[in-house]
C-alpha cells in the first residue's frame, strides 16, 4: 500500500534538520525560492551524481557538457522560446489573482508543465464556467493574455554596447548550440547523447508546493541524437531507462506511472512526449510530472541552422529581435552546417533527438517524500527517511557509547578513516538512543557504535536504519563491510 505523506510534515522536517530553507528568510522570504542546507546540499549532490553516473559514466554513448546560463539571444529566437514561451493568463476581476488559463479547470489542478498557447486559447473560450482559485468566484475573468516566462536581463557596462539577454528557461538549447563542437572535438558518432545539469529560470505564473515548481530550478537533460527512422526505438529505450532509474533509487513503483501527452497537448517541437509522473502528496495525493521524455525530431537543429543564416539580420536590425523573421532554408537543410555525415552509409542528415528532461529539485522532493516514514517503536514515534544509500546525505554515523574509557578516540579514528571514501558523521552528544533517532531522521543508513567490548576484542556494533538490527563486526572489516553494503 502506498503511504500518504503530508507535505507539511516534509517541509517541517526539511527546515528542522537543515535540508531546505526558504530563501532570504531573515527578510521575510522570497516567494518560490529555496536554499539547500547542510543535509539538503548533500542530498541534492547525490541526486545529481546518481543521474550523471547512470546516463554519462555508465554509458559509452553519452558525453557531458556544462554551458553558460546566458546565451546569445538568437538561440532563443531560433528555438521558438522568444516568441512562444509564454502562458496564457487571465486576471480575476474580483480578487485580481492572475492564473494560467489551463490551470482553471478543477480548481487549478494541472497536469502539464506548459500547455502550448494554441491549446490554451481554445480553453479560454470557456472561461465563463471556470472557478477562480483565489476567491472561488465563477466566470469573473478578464481577457486572456500571453505572459512571457523568460527572465530578461542586461549585459554590458556602456549604454551603446548593452544588450538584453534572457536567463535560459531550459538547459537543452545549450546542448543544441554545442552539437557541432562536441561532434568535432570528440569521437562520438550518431547515435549518441549529450547530457547537462544546470540551473534554469522561468517566471512561472503560479508556483507550487515547496520545491515542486519554483522560478529558479535545476534541470538534468539529455539530448540523444539518432538517425531519423530509429527515433521511435530510442524513445522507448529512454522511457524505460528513466523510469527504472527512479525505482532503482528507491521510489516505490506504486507511486510512479507514465502519462502520454495527447496530440493537442504536445509542445511545438515534439512528435511524441510522455511524462513520468509521481504521486506527490499535494491535497489528497496527486499525480504530477516528474520528468518528460520527448521526441523533438530534427526541429531544434534545423531551427538553429536557420538562425545561423539570420544572424546578420539580427545585427543589421540593431538587435531588435522582434524585427527578425528567421530566413527560410535557402538550400537543402540536410546539407546545412548542423547536419551529420554518416561515414558508413555515406549520407548526410539532420539527426532526430530524444530528450529525457528531469528536474533535480523535483526529483529531490520525490525522493524525500518517498523516503519519509513514521513508525511506532516502544510507544514512541520514530521519524525516518528511508533513502537509498546512494542518495543518503550521510552514509555512516560513528558514536562512542560514552565520552570516556578511550571510546571517543577509537570512534574518531574510525570516522576519520571512513571519511576518505564515505560521507561520515561523528557524534558523541546525548543518549545513544537519541543519537540513533537523529540519524534515522537524517536518513543515515548505518550507525557504528564503539562500546565497552571494543577495547577487548576490537569489534563495534553496526546498526541498520530500516530494521534497527545490530550486528558486531571487527574494526578492520568496517571499510569492506560498508563498501559492500553501500555498493561502492
Ligand atoms: N527541455 C524540455 C523542458 O524543459 P519541461 O517539461 O518544461 O521540459 C522538464 O521541464 C523538467 O524540468 C520537468 O519535468 C520538471 O522536473 C523540471 N521543471 C520544469 N519547470 C520547473 C519549475 N518551475 N520548477 C521546478 N522544476 C521544473
Amino acid at each position: 500500500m502506498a503511504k500518504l505523506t503530508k507535505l507539511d510534515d516534509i517541509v517541517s522536517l526539511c527546515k528542522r534538520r537543515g535540508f531546505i530553507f526558504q530563501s532570504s528568510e531573515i527578510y521575510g522570504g522570497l516567494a518560490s525560492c529555496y536554499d539547500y542546507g547542510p543535509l539538503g546540499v548533500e542530498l541534492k549532490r547525490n541526486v545529481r551524481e546518481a543521474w550523471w553516473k547512470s546516463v554519462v559514466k555508465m554509458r559509452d554513448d553519452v558525453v557531458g557538457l556544462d554551458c553558460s546560463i546566458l546565451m546569445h539571444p538568437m538561440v532563443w529566437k531560433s528555438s521558438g522560446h522568444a516568441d512562444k514561451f509564454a502562458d496564457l493568463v487571465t486576471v480575476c476581476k474580483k480578487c485580481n489573482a492572475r492564473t494560467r488559463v489551463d490551470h482553471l479547470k478543477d480548481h487549478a489542478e494541472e497536469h502539464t508543465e506548459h500547455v502550448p498557447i494554441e491549446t490554451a486559447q481554445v480553453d479560454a473560450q470557456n472561461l465563463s464556467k471556470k472557478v477562480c482559485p483565489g476567491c472561488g468566484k465563477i466566470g469573473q475573468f478578464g481577457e486572456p493574455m500571453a505572459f512571457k516566462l523568460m527572465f530578461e536581463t542586461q549585459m554590458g557596462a556602456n549604454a551603446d554596447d548593452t544588450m538584453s539577454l534572457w536567463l535560459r528557461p531550459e538547459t537543452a538549447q545549450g546542448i543544441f548550440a554545442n552539437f557541432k563542437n562536441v561532434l568535432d572535438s570528440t569521437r562520438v558518432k550518431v547515435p549518441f547523447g549529450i547530457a547537462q545539469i544546470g540551473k534554469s529560470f522561468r517566471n512561472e505564473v503560479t508556483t507550487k508546493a515547496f520545491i515542486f515548481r519554483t522560478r529558479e530550478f535545476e534541470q538534468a537533460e539529455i539530448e540523444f541524437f539518432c538517425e531519423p527512422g530509429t527515433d521511435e526505438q530510442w524513445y522507448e529505450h529512454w522511457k524505460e531507462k528513466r523510469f527504472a532509474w527512479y525505482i532503482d533509487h528507491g521510489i516505490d513503483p506504486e507511486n510512479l506511472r507514465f502519462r502520454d501527452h495527447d496530440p493537442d497537448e504536445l509542445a511545438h517541437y515534439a512528435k511524441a512526449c510522455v511524462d513520468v509522473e509521481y504521486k506527490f502528496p499535494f491535497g489528497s495525493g496527486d499525480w504530477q510530472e516528474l520528468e518528460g521524455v520527448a521526441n523533438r525530431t530534427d526541429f531544434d537543429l534545423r531551427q538553429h541552422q536557420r538562425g545561423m543564416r539570420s544572424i546578420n539580420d539580427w545585427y543589421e536590425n540593431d538587435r531588435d529581435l522582434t524585427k527578425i523573421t528567421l530566413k527560410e532554408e535557402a538550400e537543402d537543410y540536410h546539407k546545412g552546417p548542423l547536419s551529420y555525415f554518416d561515414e558508413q552509409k555515406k549520407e548526410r542528415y539532420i539527426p532526430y533527438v530524444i530528450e529525457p528532461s528531469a528536474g533535480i529539485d523535483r526529483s529531490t522532493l520525490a525522493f524525500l517524500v518517498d523516503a519519509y516514514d513514521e513508525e511506532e517503536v516502544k510507544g514512541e514515534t520514530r521519524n525516518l527517511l528511508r533513502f537509498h544509500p546512494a542518495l543518503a546525505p550521510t552514509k555512516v554515523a560513528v558514536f562512542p557509547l560514552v565520552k570516556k574509557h578511550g571510546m571517543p578516540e577509537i570512534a574518531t579514528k574510525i570516522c576519520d578513516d571512513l571519511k576518505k571514501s564515505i560521507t561520515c558523521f561523528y557524534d558523541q552528544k546525548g543518549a545513544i538512543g537519541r543519537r540513533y533517532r537523529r540519524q534515522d531522521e537524517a536518513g543515515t543508513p548505518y550507525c557504528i557504535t564503539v562500546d565497552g567490548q571494543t577495547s577487548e576484542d576490537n569489534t563495534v556494533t553496526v546498526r541498520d536504519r530500516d530494521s534497527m538490527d545490530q550486528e558486531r563486526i571487527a574494526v578492520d572489516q568496517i571499510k569492506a563491510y560498508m563498501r559492500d553494503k553501500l555498493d561502492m
Side-chain angles (χ1 to χ4, degrees):
M1 259 289 282
K3 62 184 179 291
L4 194 63
T5 309
K6 287 197 222 83
L7 188 64
D8 286 352
D9 293 337
I10 307 271
V11 175
S12 137
L13 180 135
C14 282
K15 163 133 198 198
R16 191 170 71 245
R17 294 308 313 272
F19 278 95
I20 299 167
F21 308 122
Q22 177 75 63
S23 161
S24 319
E25 199 180 291
I26 58 167
Y27 292 109
L30 181 64
S32 101
C33 294
Y34 291 91
D35 301 337
Y36 287 79
L39 284 178
V41 78
E42 295 294 339
L43 172 63
K44 192 171 163 183
R45 283 169 71 107
N46 292 341
V47 172
R48 265 191 224 119
E49 188 51 38
W51 184 88
W52 194 262
K53 184 176 172 189
S54 118
V55 306
V56 180
K57 289 192 185 164
M58 302 287 291
R59 296 183 66 113
D60 297 328
D61 57 356
V62 179
V63 292
L65 189 74
D66 187 7
C67 306
S68 59
I69 287 169
L70 298 175
M71 297 183 76
H72 194 290
M74 273 304 291
V75 168
W76 308 111
K77 183 72 186 164
S78 303
S79 68
H81 286 83
D83 299 321
K84 288 196 173 165
F85 199 54
D87 280 334
L88 200 66
V89 299
T90 180
V91 175
C92 173
K93 290 178 190 158
K94 293 290 168 196
C95 71
N96 280 333
R98 185 190 276 160
T99 315
R100 271 168 61 174
V101 167
D102 62 305
H103 280 193
L104 283 174
K105 56 182 180 230
D106 296 330
H107 298 264
E109 294 295 335
E110 85 274 37
H111 291 289
T112 54
E113 278 305 305
H114 294 287
V115 169
I117 283 276
E118 299 81 3
T119 314
Q121 256 146 9
V122 177
D123 287 350
Q125 293 161 2
N126 300 321
L127 285 186
S128 61
K129 295 181 197 128
K130 307 283 183 189
V131 182
C132 172
C135 65
K137 290 274 182 302
I138 298 169
Q140 298 291 314
F141 298 105
E143 198 56 33
M145 57 199 163
F147 181 83
K148 295 233 172 194
L149 293 169
M150 285 198 289
F151 282 104
E152 210 172 332
T153 188
Q154 304 291 315
M155 183 162 101
N158 303 314
D160 53 357
D161 68 6
T162 294
M163 75 200 234
S164 291
L165 297 180
W166 286 293
L167 302 189
R168 67 178 176 203
E170 62 172 18
T171 59
Q173 296 305 324
I175 297 180
F176 295 122
N178 278 289
F179 170 71
K180 187 123 180 52
N181 281 338
V182 173
L183 212 53
D184 292 348
S185 60
T186 65
R187 294 193 175 166
V188 290
K189 284 191 172 31
V190 170
F192 77 96
I194 305 179
Q196 167 163 232
I197 299 178
K199 289 263 184 168
S200 293
F201 301 82
R202 296 180 190 174
N203 194 12
E204 300 280 3
V205 180
T206 38
T207 54
K208 183 164 162 176
F210 201 31
I211 55 170
F212 178 85
R213 178 173 299 118
T214 50
R215 296 193 169 105
E216 173 182 343
F217 55 96
E218 212 166 309
Q219 287 188 307
E221 303 199 288
I222 307 158
E223 306 306 323
F224 193 85
F225 302 93
C226 61
E227 190 184 346
T230 64
D231 50 311
E232 286 175 20
Q233 168 199 326
W234 282 110
Y235 179 70
E236 292 305 322
H237 169 91
W238 281 107
K239 261 177 77 173
E240 185 205 307
K241 289 281 172 211
R242 294 302 306 142
F243 198 86
W245 182 79
Y246 292 102
I247 294 169
D248 292 348
H249 289 86
I251 297 278
D252 181 346
E254 274 193 49
N255 293 336
L256 212 59
R257 72 175 189 190
F258 282 125
R259 189 184 70 83
D260 285 309
H261 283 211
D262 292 333
D264 64 354
E265 206 188 317
L266 289 174
H268 58 275
Y269 51 74
K271 171 176 161 187
C273 188
V274 64
D275 287 345
V276 177
E277 290 191 332
Y278 180 74
K279 202 168 194 306
F280 279 100
F282 312 144
S284 56
D286 196 4
W287 292 100
Q288 297 280 350
E289 175 184 340
L290 188 54
E291 164 162 0
V293 181
N295 182 341
R296 291 181 82 122
T297 67
D298 55 3
F299 175 85
D300 301 88
L301 290 178
R302 285 181 66 175
Q303 283 297 104
H304 286 301
Q305 281 195 164
R306 297 175 68 202
M308 288 161 78
R309 288 202 189 91
S310 304
I311 188 70
N312 287 338
D313 288 356
W314 184 77
Y315 285 109
E316 281 155 21
N317 279 299
D318 204 18
R319 295 177 177 174
D320 184 350
L321 280 178
T322 57
K323 291 189 189 135
I324 307 257
T325 47
L326 292 177
K327 273 190 186 150
E328 288 306 322
E329 284 95 23
E331 60 194 84
D332 180 1
Y333 76 86
H334 284 110
K335 300 195 184 89
L338 299 182
S339 64
Y340 172 79
F341 184 68
D342 187 322
E343 299 278 357
Q344 271 183 339
K345 294 193 169 169
K346 304 282 178 236
E347 68 185 41
R348 195 168 268 287
Y349 57 82
I350 305 274
Y352 265 38
V353 170
I354 305 303
E355 179 196 64
S357 174
I360 294 291
D361 308 86
R362 204 172 281 185
S363 306
T364 300
L365 181 59
F367 286 122
L368 268 164
V369 167
D370 223 78
Y372 184 82
D373 205 0
E374 285 176 13
E375 60 181 25
E376 283 293 305
V377 178
K378 294 182 190 151
E380 277 184 30
T381 305
R382 176 170 94 115
N383 289 333
L384 72 159
L385 287 166
R386 297 185 191 272
F387 286 132
H388 184 283
L391 303 184
T394 308
K395 312 293 183 209
V396 184
V398 186
F399 311 141
L401 183 63
V402 289
K403 279 191 271 180
K404 49 190 177 186
H405 308 313
M407 292 182 208
E409 289 75 11
I410 300 172
T412 306
K413 187 168 177 315
I414 291 171
C415 193
D416 287 347
D417 215 25
L418 282 175
K419 269 182 190 161
K420 290 173 199 154
S421 50
I422 297 171
T423 321
C424 193
F425 179 78
Y426 176 82
D427 188 9
Q428 61 176 28
K429 285 197 207 94
I432 192 76
R434 292 194 52 192
R435 280 182 266 167
Y436 285 143
R437 292 287 181 274
R438 279 185 65 76
Q439 292 308 316
D440 290 343
E441 216 183 30
T444 308
Y446 298 100
C447 292
I448 295 175
T449 303
V450 172
D451 57 17
Q453 201 178 317
T454 308
S455 55
E456 287 166 22
D457 62 5
N458 225 12
T459 61
V460 289
T461 62
V462 180
R463 173 187 179 269
D464 180 287
R465 173 198 64 204
D466 296 345
S467 64
M468 293 186 287
D469 290 344
Q470 299 194 16
E471 59 179 313
R472 280 207 93 81
I473 63 163
V475 170
D476 60 9
Q477 289 302 308
I478 293 176
K479 262 195 188 162
Y481 179 94
M482 285 304 161
R483 247 185 243 126
D484 180 45
K485 290 279 185 188
L486 299 168
D487 193 20
M488 292 173 64

